[in-house]
Amino acid sequence: MKPAHRWDNVRLKQVHLMARVSAYISSVFGQSPFSPLQSHAQLCVNASRQLEALLTHSYAGDVQGMESVYEEITRIEHAADDLKHEIRANLPRGFFMPVARGDLLDLLSRQDEMANLARDISGLMVGRKMQYPETIRESMQALVTASIQSTELVQDIVGELDELIEAGFRGAQARRVINMVTEVERVEHQTDELVVGIRAQMMTMEHELPPVQVMFQYRALDMLAGLADAAERVAHRIQLMLA
């Protein structure tokens, strides 16, 4: 009887330990271990969405409006950084995560690039008081819209992680995510084509524009396309997790 009693005590301690671990994970991550990652993705998207307002103020030559947008993007980017550090500090170690801890940390870093780029783009445009020629503004608007769309698509994919885990990275849910990744790739390719077209338009006007300003305008174009590149890297990281 005594050995059985000791075994029951061991089992009881194990149950209590697992209950404490589950309570700890729930207190940090809520019902979903991916909820902080999804909140971080939302911040990254919020930062990128501000680029539309930045472009509008730029067209109007409203430097004060551009500065206000830059400050808002910086505020959001700092919030994303704070959440990133919190996730890194509190992400559980050991055998209690449904995916490898390193995979989630890598995904978090790639996700964070989107907020960083939004801040860098706005900082460059504000610092140079940048205005693009009127003849390319329609194409610029299309580029910004596509770049933002790529981050929104990635947020949708990150939002699917809970269901993806429940499905064991297989079946209809996995196929759905793969299709979403393909859509991110399509939008990223669209941004590349838009940049090529805008560059061709600008080349015909270079002799009319200040040379240094043109150089920074090209740089901002590359960074806007880079936002879609960053989104694609997040999507591909999740695709690797599927594999």
Side-chain angles (χ1 to χ4, degrees), residues 19-85:
R20 288 198 299 272
V21 169
S22 297
Y24 168 75
I25 293 176
S26 295
S27 68
V28 176
F29 293 97
Q31 294 182 348
S32 164
F34 301 112
S35 59
L37 200 68
Q38 291 159 351
S39 296
H40 184 269
Q42 178 67 67
L43 288 170
C44 295
V45 170
N46 290 348
S48 68
R49 282 175 176 158
Q50 294 292 322
L51 294 174
E52 281 194 321
L54 182 76
L55 207 62
T56 299
H57 290 303
S58 171
Y59 294 157
D62 181 4
V63 176
Q64 187 174 356
M66 292 175 70
E67 290 173 347
S68 178
V69 173
Y70 169 70
E71 290 170 3
E72 177 63 10
I73 291 176
T74 300
R75 184 193 67 77
I76 297 171
E77 191 272 334
H78 285 168
D81 266 350
D82 290 342
L83 182 54
K84 176 184 67 177
H85 296 318

Side-chain angles (χ1 to χ4, degrees), residues 15-150:
V15 169
H16 287 164
L17 175 62
M18 290 299 295
R20 288 198 299 272
V21 169
S22 297
Y24 168 75
I25 293 176
S26 295
S27 68
V28 176
F29 293 97
Q31 294 182 348
S32 164
F34 301 112
S35 59
L37 200 68
Q38 291 159 351
S39 296
H40 184 269
Q42 178 67 67
L43 288 170
C44 295
V45 170
N46 290 348
S48 68
R49 282 175 176 158
Q50 294 292 322
L51 294 174
E52 281 194 321
L54 182 76
L55 207 62
T56 299
H57 290 303
S58 171
Y59 294 157
D62 181 4
V63 176
Q64 187 174 356
M66 292 175 70
E67 290 173 347
S68 178
V69 173
Y70 169 70
E71 290 170 3
E72 177 63 10
I73 291 176
T74 300
R75 184 193 67 77
I76 297 171
E77 191 272 334
H78 285 168
D81 266 350
D82 290 342
L83 182 54
K84 176 184 67 177
H85 296 318
E86 183 180 346
I87 294 171
R88 285 175 173 173
N90 293 299
L91 195 64
R93 300 175 184 272
F95 304 102
F96 305 109
M97 295 297 292
V99 297
R101 185 175 187 272
D103 287 345
L104 289 182
L105 290 174
D106 186 47
L107 180 60
L108 176 65
S109 295
R110 294 180 188 225
Q111 210 169 254
D112 198 57
E113 292 176 10
M114 298 189 297
N116 291 341
L117 266 170
R119 179 205 59 206
D120 293 345
I121 292 165
S122 61
L124 176 61
M125 292 187 67
V126 168
R128 299 300 307 179
K129 298 179 176 57
M130 195 173 291
Q131 277 187 294
Y132 282 92
E134 189 171 351
T135 53
I136 65 169
R137 288 180 183 177
E138 185 177 345
S139 298
M140 283 295 300
Q141 185 62 51
L143 174 61
V144 170
T145 299
S147 295
I148 293 170
Q149 183 188 2
S150 69

Side-chain angles (χ1 to χ4, degrees), residues 146-184:
S147 295
I148 293 170
Q149 183 188 2
S150 69
T151 67
E152 292 171 338
L153 287 167
V154 161
Q155 182 191 5
D156 291 342
I157 297 175
V158 174
E160 296 285 329
L161 285 175
D162 294 299
E163 289 78 8
L164 197 57
I165 291 296
E166 290 178 6
F169 290 95
R170 296 188 301 272
Q173 191 65 35
R175 290 192 295 272
R176 170 177 163 79
V177 170
I178 289 172
N179 289 337
M180 294 167 76
V181 171
T182 300
E183 180 63 10
V184 174

Side-chain angles (χ1 to χ4, degrees), residues 198-235:
I198 294 170
R199 280 179 169 273
Q201 288 178 281
M202 287 185 63
M203 190 175 296
T204 65
M205 297 180 283
E206 282 181 356
H207 64 284
E208 304 171 5
L209 302 171
V212 175
Q213 186 74 341
V214 170
M215 180 183 69
F216 282 108
Q217 286 173 339
Y218 280 134
R219 173 62 181 149
L221 276 177
D222 290 339
M223 293 169 72
L224 280 166
L227 184 60
D229 291 336
E232 186 181 47
R233 285 192 291 272
V234 176

